[in-house]
Amino acid sequence: TEVLMLVTNSVKNDMSHDNQYINGLALCALGNIANAEMCRALAREVEKMMSSTNPYIKKKAALCAMRIVRKVEEIEDKFNGRVASLLEDRNHGVLISGCSLLTTLLEINPDYIPEFRRHIHTLVRCLRNMVTSGYANAAEYDIAGITDPFLQAKILRLLRLLGTGSVDASD
């Protein structure tokens, strides 16, 4: 248990470092190798990092939160409040990680679906912008003339989950 405490403190120190890449590495390590106890201890720091102004840190924190929720299901509600800001972000990396986090939350607890249906319009608007904007606005995400097909697929999968059991949401 002493080693676990040392590792937890080391990861926590790296998460508060000034360098974004050290923060990202700490978040990846936490998401990949942490046990349930470490996840519970550092969930608050991950939640804070999801509010970062740096899109790189925001993306890594959302992906880490997704993995934490998969490991420790009872703390899934800790990240619910941060999902909206991720889904409204203009950065495609942040948006796809936000979609992944929300998809995981909804798969673990379908009772959240009515609560998150309010984000359907945001997701549809984002999807429409990607489809209609074309190559000019998102050249770095273009694959064979399709703007960010991976994000489009993630959004469609999320919309399928959010529309489950609701005629209004499915329209």
Side-chain angles (χ1 to χ4, degrees):
T1 58
E2 288 181 22
V3 173
L4 181 65
M5 190 167 57
L6 289 171
V7 171
T8 303
N9 285 336
S10 178
V11 170
K12 186 175 183 176
N13 288 339
D14 287 348
M15 289 170 73
S16 61
H17 198 275
D18 293 335
N19 187 322
Q20 70 176 352
Y21 299 111
I22 293 175
N23 295 152
L25 189 61
L27 288 165
C28 285
L30 179 62
N32 287 316
I33 65 169
N35 62 7
E37 188 179 332
M38 266 180 84
C39 290
R40 280 188 207 92
L42 295 174
R44 178 170 282 125
E45 281 76 14
V46 173
E47 183 188 7
K48 281 188 232 167
M49 293 180 92
M50 287 171 68
S51 307
S52 172
T53 56
N54 185 330
Y56 176 79
I57 293 173
K58 220 185 234 190
K59 175 184 74 171
K60 293 289 189 181
L63 291 173
C64 182
M66 178 189 70
R67 292 189 175 204
I68 286 174
V69 166
R70 285 183 181 160
K71 290 179 184 180
V72 189
E73 292 181 6
E74 68 265 12
I75 63 169
E76 82 236 357
D77 59 336
K78 182 177 257 333
F79 303 108
N80 287 1
R82 304 288 184 187
V83 171
S85 66
L86 298 172
L87 296 178
E88 293 167 0
D89 202 285
R90 298 190 53 80
N91 182 290
H92 285 223
V94 173
L95 188 54
I96 198 167
S97 60
C99 288
S100 296
L101 174 59
L102 183 52
T103 300
T104 301
L105 287 170
L106 296 178
E107 286 171 347
I108 288 173
N109 190 348
D111 295 339
Y112 289 141
I113 291 174
E115 178 186 336
F116 286 108
R117 281 198 177 122
R118 67 180 189 268
H119 300 297
I120 288 176
H121 296 294
T122 305
L123 293 166
V124 170
R125 185 182 65 237
C126 178
L127 190 59
R128 184 182 54 228
N129 288 343
M130 274 191 287
V131 171
T132 58
S133 70
Y135 182 78
N137 292 344
E140 67 268 25
Y141 303 109
D142 184 82
I143 298 174
I146 300 169
T147 305
D148 206 344
F150 300 105
L151 179 56
Q152 288 186 32
K154 252 324 168 197
I155 290 174
L156 288 171
R157 183 171 177 223
L158 182 54
L159 287 171
R160 179 184 56 85
L161 281 172
L162 289 170
T164 302
S166 171
V167 175
D168 292 336
S170 296
D171 285 342

